Amino acid sequence: MRLPEYIIKKLRKKSGNDLYLPSDCEFLSLDIESNLGIHIGATTLKRLLGFANDERTPHASTLEVLAKYLGYAHWRDVICLLYTSDAADE
């Protein structure tokens, strides 16, 4: 499952990395772990950013970690923003 582009843009902004190459996922993995003390594997991030063609649904815990990394309390908060008119403008 590839994350929506809006969320990928938020990950780019937070990490300070363009996330245009599969190798950038290793950087993002380390940045998440450095900020939160929780590890998300680079391979998982490659799937979520669309570098690996895999339609598996990510674990809820993975999405929760991404939400926390982006500064939200829960993944549902991120999704709610995705469907607001403000999200479309960013």
Side-chain angles (χ1 to χ4, degrees):
M1 174 191 117
R2 186 177 194 277
L3 293 171
E5 189 62 29
Y6 168 73
I7 296 171
I8 294 173
K9 285 179 182 179
K10 290 185 102 31
L11 288 169
R12 286 179 181 137
K13 184 175 180 181
K14 168 70 177 173
S15 69
N17 189 302
D18 290 334
L19 304 176
Y20 287 125
L21 300 171
S23 57
D24 293 337
C25 294
E26 185 63 40
F27 170 85
L28 181 58
S29 174
L30 293 171
D31 196 47
I32 291 169
E33 190 165 6
S34 172
N35 279 277
L36 300 176
I38 302 169
H39 179 76
I40 296 179
T43 301
T44 297
L45 293 170
K46 286 177 187 177
R47 285 195 302 269
L48 294 173
L49 295 175
F51 294 115
N53 190 10
D54 189 334
E55 293 302 316
R56 284 185 276 183
T57 302
H59 291 275
S61 59
T62 300
L63 298 176
E64 289 294 321
V65 170
L66 289 177
K68 287 180 181 14
Y69 177 72
L70 292 173
Y72 299 95
H74 299 285
W75 180 249
R76 69 176 176 264
D77 300 330
V78 177
I79 294 302
C80 285
L81 282 177
L82 183 62
Y83 294 104
T84 64
S85 59
D86 293 337
D89 296 334
E90 288 186 21

